[in-house]
Amino acid sequence: MNSQNFFAVTDPSNGPFAPSGESGTPPRWDLSDLYASLDDPAIEQDFAALTSAARAFSEGWKGKLGQADGVALASAFAEYERIEEGLGRIGSFAQLGFAAHTTDPTWGRFTQGVQERITDISADLLFFSLELNRLDDEVLEKISTSPDMAKWQPFLRDLRVFRPYQLSDEVEQVLMDKSVTGRNAWNRLFDETMASLTITLDGETKPLGAAFNTLTSAEREKRAAAAEQISAVLADNSRLLTMITNTLAKDKAIGDKLRGYPRPSSSRNRGNMVEDEVVDALVSAVDEAYPRLSHRYYAMKAKWLGLEKLEHWDRNAPLPGVADTVIPWENGKEIVLNAYTGFDPELGGLVNRFLTHPWIDAEAAPGKSSGAFAHPTVPSVHPYILMNYHGRARDVMTLAHELGHGVHQILAGQKQGYLNSATPLTLAETASVFGEFC
Ligand SMILES: [Zn+2]
């Protein structure tokens, strides 16, 4: 890891959170609604309680789900959800802290430790979904007629989708244990590597994200320089990045082969609750539309920009006549809030909760994850949003997008609880894209 040391000296006891910026500066979030800090004693207490709860759960239920009646199974579900939500709370805290401080070894170590412990505890919980999925349809149907089980029908229905690809308990256990040093470790290496990359623009060292932002500049030379910087930095790291990508692809191929997924996209499509054929139809429709839509659009854009040929650094150039101004955070916030409130005051009220609490990490700070996401955490807390706000129109769109997720996550979590509020991407993106259109 190279030159990013901004967060390397974080003092955990002080909390790693910068206060919300002075007015105008995009805010940083405050994760203390989850835990006060990295060394909050509540983390250790929760881990201890969850460890024994998971063990007791396994002792009480393993091998017995088929004999349970609906009332008993519903109570098992409630306890399973309670433990999973507890783990989700610690896991969210670690994930979010790591995303905001990806190059900080303190957070790296903490997150790795949390992941390992959650995996250990999950070893006592794994049987629950595996055993449920092994029950015959008739047995499960009989239990499910109990009104107590009504709440868990959607969970069981979704779980059933993965039944044909489930392996033996021992193999499932090994795959879960090994993921800590396998896929998860490679993902972490990728995140840390990307967050530590820097570029030099206008004589200043900046995070890679700043170069992506410059690709939207109205000045062509600036865009070209940024593109050149991005290519150079990625080329410098190509051996490592290629190794990471190839290893993750092979890891996935091995898993897919063991489970019998027909093709690489199948597991993702199952997770999204959509059939392979539906995605095929979507892909071919988009492919067919390239000449009619995107090729024509880029040809028009080249003409508008007065260029013979569009280079790749021209793709995100603003159109002539579009003001190339920076939209301050306060204004961006207002645009989004007004849009949501104009559509529906209740929706606006929910959006306002995000904007008036430290739930959004918006400052484009060095060493943090690029891109944007809304993390639901757990229903008893609230979602958090991470983005890198540079003041471009597209950043305002991103804020609207992520708030769409955030609002959806609050409403789903409150009503459905932790397990049932998990949403496939296909549905989740409906709320966020709707937010952009607001
Ligand atoms: Zn989204």
Side-chain angles (χ1 to χ4, degrees):
M1 225 148 305
N2 53 25
S3 52
Q4 290 297 318
N5 289 316
F6 294 86
F7 293 99
V9 289
T10 301
D11 173 11
S13 62
N14 255 342
F17 314 107
S20 284
E22 284 143 40
S23 100
T25 319
R28 308 289 325 247
W29 60 28
D30 177 352
L31 297 180
S32 60
D33 288 344
L34 289 163
Y35 290 100
S37 68
L38 285 158
D39 49 8
D40 184 344
I43 297 175
E44 205 47 53
Q45 285 157 18
D46 286 354
F47 260 138
L50 291 164
T51 304
S52 23
R55 197 156 302 147
F57 183 75
S58 165
E59 280 162 10
W61 287 105
K62 198 171 184 177
K64 297 171 195 154
L65 296 179
Q67 291 96 55
D69 61 13
V71 179
L73 193 59
S75 77
F77 257 107
E79 175 63 358
Y80 178 72
E81 178 171 62
R82 192 188 68 80
I83 301 171
E84 285 286 356
E85 183 166 353
L87 295 175
R89 187 181 186 121
I90 308 178
S92 306
F93 177 69
Q95 269 178 39
L96 293 172
F98 182 68
H101 308 280
T102 309
T103 52
D104 177 350
T106 315
W107 274 102
R109 191 172 59 235
F110 175 80
T111 306
Q112 180 69 24
V114 164
Q115 218 175 60
E116 288 169 11
R117 290 181 75 177
I118 289 178
T119 306
D120 280 346
I121 297 172
S122 299
D124 276 328
L125 302 172
L126 182 62
F127 81 91
F128 189 65
S129 54
L130 297 178
E131 204 174 309
L132 280 174
N133 241 357
R134 269 203 312 270
L135 296 179
D136 287 333
D137 287 339
E138 306 82 67
V139 177
L140 200 60
E141 244 163 65
K142 217 175 116 220
I143 305 174
S144 300
T145 51
S146 158
D148 292 74
M149 281 300 294
K151 182 182 173 189
W152 304 109
Q153 289 309 323
F155 183 87
L156 286 171
R157 181 200 61 208
D158 293 353
L159 188 64
R160 222 58 182 166
V161 172
F162 295 96
R163 193 181 193 211
Y165 314 105
Q166 185 170 308
L167 302 170
S168 73
D169 289 9
E170 293 76 15
V171 176
E172 291 286 354
Q173 182 69 58
V174 171
L175 287 178
M176 191 172 85
D177 287 346
K178 294 289 280 180
S179 69
V180 171
T181 50
R183 191 177 58 238
N184 295 349
W186 288 98
N187 279 327
R188 179 183 162 195
L189 180 61
F190 178 78
D191 289 343
E192 290 183 356
T193 304
M194 291 305 285
S196 70
L197 298 183
T198 57
I199 43 117
T200 311
L201 273 181
D202 305 327
E204 248 183 276
T205 304
K206 293 178 179 173
L208 192 59
F212 287 112
N213 178 50
T214 307
L215 289 177
T216 65
S217 165
E219 291 170 57
R220 192 158 198 241
E221 314 73 62
K222 282 195 175 172
R223 294 198 304 271
E228 195 184 315
Q229 284 274 332
I230 293 168
S231 302
V233 168
L234 292 179
D236 280 349
N237 291 275
S238 68
R239 201 160 69 104
L240 176 58
L241 294 172
T242 308
M243 173 86 178
I244 294 172
T245 308
N246 287 344
T247 305
L248 280 167
K250 188 64 190 171
D251 182 80
K252 176 173 163 49
I254 293 170
D256 281 357
K257 191 176 161 203
L258 283 172
R259 293 185 184 282
Y261 281 115
R263 44 181 162 146
S265 58
S266 297
S267 61
R268 164 58 79 182
N269 293 345
R270 301 294 179 282
N272 283 338
M273 302 297 151
V274 46
E275 293 75 20
D276 289 346
E277 299 74 39
V278 174
V279 177
D280 287 346
L282 179 73
V283 170
S284 61
V286 171
D287 272 355
E288 279 164 29
Y290 279 154
R292 215 163 12 98
L293 296 174
S294 61
H295 295 180
R296 192 156 61 99
Y297 168 74
Y298 283 123
M300 283 164 78
K301 185 163 185 173
K303 211 163 83 189
W304 288 332
L305 292 172
L307 297 170
E308 185 99 349
K309 183 172 171 264
L310 224 50
E311 294 293 343
H312 63 83
W313 54 83
D314 297 320
R315 274 179 311 170
N316 293 318
L319 294 177
V322 173
D324 188 30
T325 48
V326 167
I327 305 163
W329 171 252
E330 291 301 322
N331 299 18
K333 250 172 45 171
E334 210 181 298
I335 293 168
V336 173
L337 179 62
N338 288 343
Y340 273 96
T341 311
F343 177 77
D344 177 63
E346 192 187 338
L347 217 50
L350 284 169
V351 163
N352 200 36
R353 282 173 66 190
F354 282 89
L355 299 177
T356 51
H357 290 88
W359 298 357
I360 304 179
D361 202 273
E363 194 189 351
K368 97 180 217 190
S369 168
S370 63
F373 63 74
H375 193 307
T377 76
V378 290
S380 49
V381 185
H382 55 77
Y384 281 95
I385 287 173
L386 179 139
M387 63 174 298
N388 289 272
Y389 190 86
H390 295 276
R392 300 264 168 198
R394 56 186 284 163
D395 297 325
V396 179
M397 297 293 269
T398 301
L399 180 63
H401 179 102
E402 299 308 331
L403 281 166
H405 284 308
V407 164
H408 177 211
Q409 287 163 351
I410 286 192
L411 294 172
Q414 272 169 359
K415 201 158 165 208
Q416 316 288 1
Y418 185 65
L419 291 182
N420 280 332
S421 63
T423 313
L425 281 174
T426 32
L427 175 61
E429 296 307 323
T430 311
S432 53
V433 174
F434 172 80
E436 284 186 57
F437 286 137
C438 252

